[in-house]
């Protein structure tokens, strides 16, 4: 497994846990807003393991707010991370997958892309974009590459309190553990090569 994120201390800790469990892990500190970061990650996978089988694009930010607050910088940040980050991953991995003749993109969207609520317009828009991009990529894959969208509901993550409205904070009590999302990703990956799981929507049972 090759890991990429902004915080090297967390990457080192996770890589250590994977190694202690008997796996192999490499990592690079990257920012998905910069295309060269994804190139670095893909290159690392090829150098360390000789190929790239799956690219999971999971980086995301959610500084939601009413439009009247005009938090334009936050809007742009969501576009840069949630949308451009996915595109940078596609640009880095697609040539490698084409050369190999196989590969699997797993892109994280959100249940916000299926149900729009106030204060989440821009965030939902970025996740709708992920679904649209992924579906077009799947159609262009000609059956040789697989593309999966995983759309989680409320999940206990480290988004941070500044990114959560009181309404969203109230939902944290029903949030599912991140391991649930991990199992959904694993389910899509472990299918036979000729089976493509287009989208998995996963949410807490109590989420409306």
């Amino acid at each position: 497994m090759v890991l990429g994120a902004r915080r090297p201390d967390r990457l080192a800790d996770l890589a250590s846990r994977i190694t202690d469990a008997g796996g192999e892990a490499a990592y690079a500190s990257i920012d998905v807003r910069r295309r060269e970061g994804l190139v670095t990650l893909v290159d690392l996978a090829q150098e360390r393991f000789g190929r790239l089988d799956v690219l999971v694009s999971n980086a995301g930010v959610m500084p939601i707010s009413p439009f009247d607050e005009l938090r334009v910088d936050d809007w742009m940040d969501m576009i840069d991370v949630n949308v451009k980050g996915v595109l940078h991953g596609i640009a880095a991995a697609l040539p490698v997958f084409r050369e190999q003749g196989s590969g699997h993109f797993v892109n994280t969207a959100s249940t916000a892309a299926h149900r729009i609520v106030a204060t989440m317009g821009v965030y939902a828009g970025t996740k709708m974009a992920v679904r649209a991009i992924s579906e077009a990529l799947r159609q262009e894959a000609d059956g040789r590459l697989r593309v999966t969208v995983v759309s989680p509901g409320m999940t206990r993550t480290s988004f941070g309190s500044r990114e959560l409205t009181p309404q969203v904070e109230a939902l944290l009590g029903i949030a599912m553990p991140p391991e649930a999302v991990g199992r959904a990703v694993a389910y899509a990956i472990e299918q036979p090569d000729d089976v493509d799981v287009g989208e998995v929507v996963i949410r807490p049972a109590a989420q409306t």
Side-chain angles (χ1 to χ4, degrees), residues 77-170:
D77 203 26
M78 282 187 277
I79 291 169
D80 287 344
V81 176
N82 301 354
V83 181
K84 290 183 180 179
V86 170
L87 290 172
H88 291 159
I90 292 170
L94 186 56
V96 175
F97 286 166
R98 289 299 193 191
E99 184 177 356
Q100 292 176 172
S102 65
H104 192 167
F105 290 98
V106 179
N107 299 327
T108 301
S110 168
T111 53
H114 295 264
R115 180 174 182 269
I116 312 304
V117 298
T119 76
M120 297 181 70
V122 177
Y123 176 73
T126 64
K127 294 305 185 177
M128 285 181 166
V130 170
R131 295 185 70 224
I133 290 164
S134 300
E135 173 58 18
L137 180 61
R138 184 194 67 78
Q139 293 182 25
E140 293 179 21
D142 300 324
R144 287 175 289 178
L145 309 180
R146 299 194 294 175
V147 183
T148 299
V149 175
V150 176
S151 290
M154 185 56 64
T155 308
R156 289 195 296 274
T157 64
S158 57
F159 270 133
S161 58
R162 69 171 289 274
E163 299 177 324
L164 301 179
T165 64
Q167 296 94 325
V168 174
E169 286 182 334

